[in-house]
Amino acid sequence: MSGGGRPGESEGYEPRGVQNPRIVDLVAPDRRRGEIVLSILEARPWSGGRPQLEEHEEKLNAYFVYVLDGHLARDYPQYRGMPARVELVCAEEPGEGERPFLAAVARTASENGLSFVVRVDPDPFARRRAPWEAGGGDGGDGAA
């Protein structure tokens, strides 16, 4: 990618974010909770529209397959056996139109032994440590 990319992206890397279901945006351990966290990054405002929710569905399905089919354990053997949490990191609070969809995602995750949470962060693409890591803000982003 040349020019116009997000911070932390360079030649040979695919863009992170909901719009790209081919990659996992961020993988990091939450050592305090003993979980491995797979983050999905959404910087756009919620449109309340079907196209945005369809992008989320495609990305979430890819994450669930990645974990449940053993790809996470293969790619990150050091996290084998840790419970997985899928975290949607979005720039603004989901609206009423998105809440039923997100509740259904949480149910599906739970039925498959995963957890799902939504976290609001005004700049989901900021390069920093995950909020649960000691020391806060100057670490790498851990993008997969």
Side-chain angles (χ1 to χ4, degrees), residues 20-31:
N20 186 355
R22 293 181 306 275
I23 65 164
V24 173
D25 298 335
L26 180 72
V27 175
D30 180 341
R31 297 197 195 289

Side-chain angles (χ1 to χ4, degrees), residues 58-128:
E58 185 176 6
K59 183 84 168 189
L60 285 158
N61 285 338
Y63 272 50
F64 289 172
V65 166
Y66 182 72
V67 174
L68 297 172
D69 285 358
H71 301 285
L72 174 67
R74 184 199 67 224
D75 292 345
Y76 296 92
Q78 68 272 31
Y79 303 137
R80 189 180 313 259
M82 290 176 77
R85 178 173 81 223
V86 175
E87 181 177 80
L88 173 59
V89 184
C90 47
E92 61 182 43
E93 191 73 36
E96 289 297 319
E98 292 82 28
R99 289 193 181 125
F101 169 78
L102 296 172
V105 169
R107 280 191 304 276
T108 300
S110 179
E111 290 166 0
N112 287 282
L114 307 173
S115 63
F116 174 74
V117 297
V118 176
R119 183 169 57 86
V120 176
D121 182 332
D123 187 2
F125 286 93
R127 289 183 58 88
R128 64 182 176 287

